[in-house]
Amino acid sequence: MSEMTTEKHVFQAEIQQLLDLVVHSLYTDKDIFLRELISNASDSMEKVRHLEGTAKNFKDAGDELTISLEMDKEAKTITLTDRGIGMTREELVENLGTIAHSGTKAFLEQMKESGGSPAGLIGQFGVGFYSVFMVADKVEVFSRSWQEGAENLRWTSDGKTGYEIEEAEELPRGVKIVLHLNEQSEDFSEEYRVKGLIARYSNFVGFPILVAGKRVNEVEALWLKNKSEISEEEYKAFYQFAGKAFDEPCYRLHFSADAPIAINALIFAPGENPEKMGFGKVDGGVALYCKKVLIDAEPKGLLPDWLRFVKGVVDSADLPLNISRETMQDSALVRKLNGVISKRIIKMFEKEAEADPAKYREFYKKFERYFKEGIATDYANKDALAKLLRFESSMTGAGDVCSLVDYVGRMKDGQETIYYLVGQNRDQIESGPFVEGFKARGLEVIYFTDAVDEYVVDSLGEFDGRKLASIRHAGVELADVDAEADGLSPEEISGLCDYLQGELGDRVTKISSGKRLVDSPVIALVPENGMSPQVRQMMKAMDENFKDEVKVELEINPRHPLVKKLAEVREKQPEVAKLVAAQLLDNALISAGLLDDARGTIMRMNSLMEKAMG
Ligand code: ADP
């Protein structure tokens, strides 16, 4: 090899940064380097399989595709050879010298945000090829691309500042990586160490892995096997391998179908929610295969976006191998798969929830936001998803939950509406005036307490043919109760309402006597299309200039002593009555979470107290 062909390159700044992190802070996880190399080799050979089926100019089809590992204890090296597509000179520069791929970028960003503490991060991302520098102080990559007339190349680096590329002697297609192990990592040149790592991380790689010429992995498409032949341990290992996960799977769906489309699917719901652990939105985790050949590890459109948390494999013999990533989303077949699989997954959650409610509860706490996102965004599945919701209600004990199906089962004869209230928590909801009238009539009220619930219920609209209605809204009709007897007369009521309307002016659009109150004197209701306190809060948080004249309907309780007294004194003691009327409105607004400015309230309270003491 002549000097002429040696090119020196400097690593991109981000790569140097990454390498520095890899070498100095990640050494506790250094085991993973082999998984990363094997998975790159396997990806590359998947591409060969794909080319065999699609590229006319692919020369050496039918080769045995294996990954082989040789260790040299004397030289302290590991050599990993694959029969993948290899890399051209440009690809070596692009792939092993710059940071173009999103996974590594995301890793760096998370690294910065977490203040450089890598615990747990490595499991989320892996640092790919660069992890070799945790165990090696010199790495050689020999490569010949599958493309016609490709060069034989040798890439070398110490993982510090840069790398060199030069021509090499005649090579077979693929990549051969030689790791010169550093002093702390010499034990990796022992066969048992390498075999241990393969068993742990790479058992399900879809190609034979040979260590010193002997096959060590299982090479099985677990999803095509019969359920009865698979142990729990195998399932778990497959989940961790396929999902690049470290937790235990919580639920599993393994099924095959022939109509309307051929499907073999093995899908897991994870035990932990990475988005809740501070990582951004995760990418879809279900890979798409056609007869054991990987078509796309992150296929767009295979599942609705809200299902991005599930992991596993879908294999469909009906798919054309050469379907491109671009056409994937528009493919009628992929749409069909999406429909069938998402329905099966939802059904699986429904069954699991029934079989073990306590387990589902724990799962739900971590993953409910995905279901809610689905209700708001996935029209085809929203009704099925609504069955998965869990919440407290006026008929559950504090801390217990039920479902919409439970609610409907408990509805009273003649009840047509599902009542709910959105609030911060059970205590806050129950201390307000809204629920009392419903409780008195034995009508159940759902307590929604998640910030997004308002939006979710709006999207849902109805369940099982029954409208969902917020009891905060005007226009919710309640049947009579006997308590009418000792209230004000119709004439007294209409006189009082007119009086209040005169006093309160246009802050109140309507005043009437209502049936929903038991213990409270008045209640403020927002119109059915009006903004709820939660939405107002959000608007205020987003826009500091947000102004919204609160207009409410007032419902008075003609049985309440305070209301009766006001009707009695409004002519005899007009000054006090005026203060009481205004204060009643403020109190109702406070209960409804709608009072923005309490200055007037306090001044009025002071005058009232003065008057009370004479
Ligand atoms: P990632 O695998 O997450 O993309 P890596 O740093 O591991 O990141 O690899 C970068 C890129 O280098 C890969 O995307 C691939 O294009 C290329 N590459 C790595 N190893 C091989 C290999 N054995 N054969 C062919 N290409 C490879």
Side-chain angles (χ1 to χ4, degrees), residues 36-37 39-41 43-44 47 80 82 84-87 91 95-96 101 103-104 127-130 174-175 177:
E36 299 294 325
L37 289 184
S39 111
N40 281 348
D43 287 352
S44 177
K47 288 176 191 151
L80 184 148
D82 70 53
I85 55 167
M87 283 179 272
E91 285 166 341
N95 296 335
L96 306 186
H101 33 297
T104 318
V127 280
F129 172 77
Y130 303 102
V175 164
I177 298 178

Side-chain angles (χ1 to χ4, degrees), residues 13 48 83 92-93 142 154 214 231 233 238 266 275 280 286 289 345 359 376 388 406 436 443 503 510 549 587 593:
V48 167
R83 301 280 293 127
L92 279 170
V93 172
F142 295 90
R154 175 174 173 266
K214 282 206 199 71
S231 70
E233 273 308 300
F238 181 79
L266 176 51
E275 289 186 11
V286 176
Y289 283 73
I345 295 175
K359 181 177 172 191
L388 302 180
D406 299 331
E436 56 193 42
L443 294 169
E503 285 300 317
K510 185 179 161 198
E549 220 9 29
N587 288 356

Side-chain angles (χ1 to χ4, degrees), residues 45-89:
M45 296 198 302
E46 295 276 12
K47 288 176 191 151
V48 167
R49 269 197 190 156
H50 205 263
L51 286 170
E52 285 177 340
T54 55
K56 289 198 181 64
N57 61 341
F58 190 78
K59 283 275 173 320
D60 30 20
D63 279 11
E64 215 198 327
L65 299 179
T66 58
I67 298 168
S68 69
L69 280 148
E70 302 286 341
M71 274 69 68
D72 186 333
K73 275 209 270 191
E74 302 287 290
K76 305 186 174 63
T77 58
I78 302 180
T79 303
L80 184 148
T81 312
D82 70 53
R83 301 280 293 127
I85 55 167
M87 283 179 272
T88 62
R89 190 180 283 264

Side-chain angles (χ1 to χ4, degrees), residues 408 411 415-418 461-469:
V408 170
M411 279 171 81
Q415 182 185 350
E416 278 162 17
T417 310
I418 298 173
E462 56 174 55
F463 177 76
D464 201 12
R466 279 115 170 149
K467 196 167 169 280
L468 284 145

